[in-house]
Amino acid sequence: MSLKGQAYVVGAFEHPTRHAVDKSLGQLHAEAALGALDDAGLSIEDVDGYFCAGDVPGWESPGIGPLSVVEYLGLKLRHLDTTESWGSAYINHVEHAARAIAAGKCRVALITQAGRPRAEKFSPEASHLLQAQTTAESQFELPYGPVVTNVYGMCAARHMYEHGTTSEQLAWIKVAASHHAQHNPNAVLPNVVTVEDVIESPIVATPLHRLDCCVISDGGGALVLAHPEVAKGLKRPLITPTGAGFTVKHLNGGYFDILASGAVQTGKEAFQQAGVRPSDIQYASLYDSFTITVLVQLENLGFCEPGQGGRFVADGGLISGVGKLPFNTDGGGLCNNHPGNRGGMTKLIEAVRQLRGEAHPAVQVPDCRLALAHGTGGQLGARHGSATLILERED
């Protein structure tokens, strides 16, 4: 069933904090929820569907975390969805919410996300190793010391080996993000950087430099979707999902292509369902945990041919008003915000801003009517969830 017109995104809110030393995780979820509902012109009493992932407080006790947040927010629900796929979860939730609304399971759906890794002095390496000790694959992989940085470094090295991609080309992705972040007062890294700045920053995991990596930040965000009857009674632009795709990509016992993410499948599904092509997309929110993440998605989603990502992004190819495909005009995870180490929600929020014409004037895509958001939850080069969503503004 087509998603178009089944539900509308009526509220969106990104929490302004990037260092939540004075707020609990529950507070961040609640403040994001209230911000999105206020944006929509609705209240907590209107919500009868709630969607969340593993970032809610208390998730470590299975089933308790989501239920506790429902109580904390004072929600009176008819539908609850706790699908977890890390950073891609919230993009997947939009499809789930639209289908739940179409099926009559709820009329107003709330999606929240929040995290406090900066306040909690998060270490990517320590966190990954601790988690890896409890997974099914840990006995086979842990002896080799995989962490998020060196796994992405392997992806970048492979792309360079196969396609001649250069560090300078990868750096252009960070440069584009910084050109956008300079207009965002909440961005963690608001200063414009050059290609030279990126490649002269310290190596983190060969060939990735420090500035090839996303920020670690606190904060969160929320979206509200509503039934068409509700949405058309509100004074908000009509933004509808039109196509979606989701899959889990894994190592398949060693038989896999390290440069083929789940986006190969989810992009095809989303474009087919929406009835559009990559060339029709006016704005793209692409998961940017690292610069190589963006490059792989551009190729896998069909914005350019495999191996041509480096040429696609070079010389400002992703800068709004300059390049072929404006991306992450809030500065993205590379410069603005990567709350809770999960970037999917912020990708959705900026796509909604663009479609509403509410992005900063310096980066707003003129008459933006068709946008794409893609999330990668987990790790490229390993197991991850991929979600692609196409959004359209209706007159």
Side-chain angles (χ1 to χ4, degrees):
M1 180 179 68
S2 173
L3 288 175
K4 187 171 183 177
Q6 299 295 320
Y8 294 89
V9 179
V10 295
F13 179 80
E14 180 181 4
H15 203 290
T17 190
R18 302 292 184 266
H19 196 195
V21 292
D22 60 339
K23 297 181 185 297
S24 70
L25 188 56
Q27 280 180 284
L28 291 174
H29 277 276
E31 291 175 9
L34 292 174
L37 287 165
D38 182 66
D39 180 64
L42 296 168
S43 70
I44 283 288
E45 287 71 27
D46 295 307
V47 177
D48 58 353
Y50 180 54
F51 298 73
C52 65
D55 55 281
V56 294
W59 183 271
E60 63 274 10
S61 301
I64 301 300
L67 304 184
S68 297
V69 176
V70 170
E71 180 180 28
Y72 188 76
L73 294 176
L75 299 175
K76 297 177 176 61
L77 297 184
R78 294 194 296 127
H79 186 68
L80 174 67
D81 185 329
T82 61
T83 300
E84 166 66 306
S85 58
W86 289 83
S88 65
Y90 319 96
I91 295 171
N92 197 20
H93 288 165
V94 173
E95 178 188 8
H96 288 197
R99 296 200 184 283
I101 289 170
K105 295 182 177 181
C106 59
R107 287 176 66 83
V108 175
L110 171 67
I111 308 169
T112 69
Q113 185 254 326
R116 300 178 67 252
R118 186 178 176 190
E120 295 171 359
K121 302 186 185 306
F122 169 84
S123 165
E125 288 77 13
S127 175
H128 182 74
L129 289 172
L130 179 63
Q131 181 188 29
Q133 292 173 14
T134 64
T135 61
E137 68 277 0
S138 62
Q139 61 181 313
F140 306 106
E141 297 183 5
L142 198 58
Y144 298 95
V147 293
V148 62
T149 48
N150 61 31
V151 172
Y152 276 84
M154 287 194 296
C155 292
R158 188 67 190 181
H159 206 284
M160 290 178 173
Y161 174 78
E162 288 194 9
H163 303 299
T165 307
T166 66
S167 290
E168 287 80 3
Q169 289 173 330
L170 285 178
W172 270 108
I173 298 170
K174 179 74 167 197
V175 171
S178 74
H179 273 268
H180 300 153
Q182 68 176 315
H183 305 293
N184 185 345
N186 295 319
V188 173
L189 301 177
N191 297 329
V192 174
V193 300
T194 65
V195 169
E196 290 72 24
D197 290 332
V198 179
I199 62 178
E200 291 174 5
S201 64
I203 285 284
V204 172
T206 304
L208 297 178
H209 301 78
R210 178 186 294 165
L211 293 183
D212 284 301
C213 308
C214 68
V215 302
I216 293 176
S217 60
D218 303 339
L223 289 181
V224 179
L225 278 78
H227 187 281
E229 292 177 358
V230 176
K232 292 176 182 179
L234 302 171
K235 296 179 180 180
R236 304 305 286 141
L238 293 174
I239 310 298
T240 182
T242 59
F246 176 79
T247 192
V248 175
K249 177 71 184 294
H250 55 78
L251 302 183
N252 193 35
Y255 296 93
F256 73 104
D257 180 354
I258 196 172
L259 298 181
S261 73
V264 172
Q265 175 180 326
T266 63
K268 289 179 182 177
E269 291 177 358
F271 283 118
Q272 182 177 20
Q273 192 176 109
V276 299
R277 298 171 297 177
S279 58
D280 296 319
I281 299 297
Q282 297 168 278
Y283 166 78
S285 278
L286 300 176
Y287 208 88
D288 55 348
S289 47
F290 298 87
T291 52
I292 186 61
T293 319
V294 176
L295 200 73
V296 169
Q297 288 169 91
L298 286 167
E299 296 178 358
N300 291 175
L301 291 168
F303 288 110
C304 61
E305 293 297 319
Q308 297 302 307
R311 295 176 179 84
F312 189 90
V313 303
D315 301 318
L318 300 178
I319 298 176
S320 185
V322 175
K324 318 170 195 66
L325 181 68
F327 102 121
N328 298 7
T329 45
D330 60 341
L334 287 169
C335 293
N336 169 36
N337 192 13
H338 194 225
N341 307 310
R342 295 163 173 258
M345 177 60 76
T346 52
K347 299 299 171 285
L348 290 164
I349 292 169
E350 185 66 6
V352 170
R353 290 192 192 111
Q354 280 286 351
L355 291 167
R356 288 176 169 182
E358 296 174 356
H360 191 282
V363 298
Q364 175 66 53
V365 175
D367 192 29
C368 186
R369 306 184 64 83
L370 200 61
L372 176 145
H374 179 81
T376 300
Q379 297 181 45
L380 295 184
R383 56 209 59 83
H384 60 268
S386 282
T388 305
L389 183 74
I390 296 172
L391 295 164
E392 181 180 334
R393 187 185 84 234
E394 289 187 5
D395 291 326

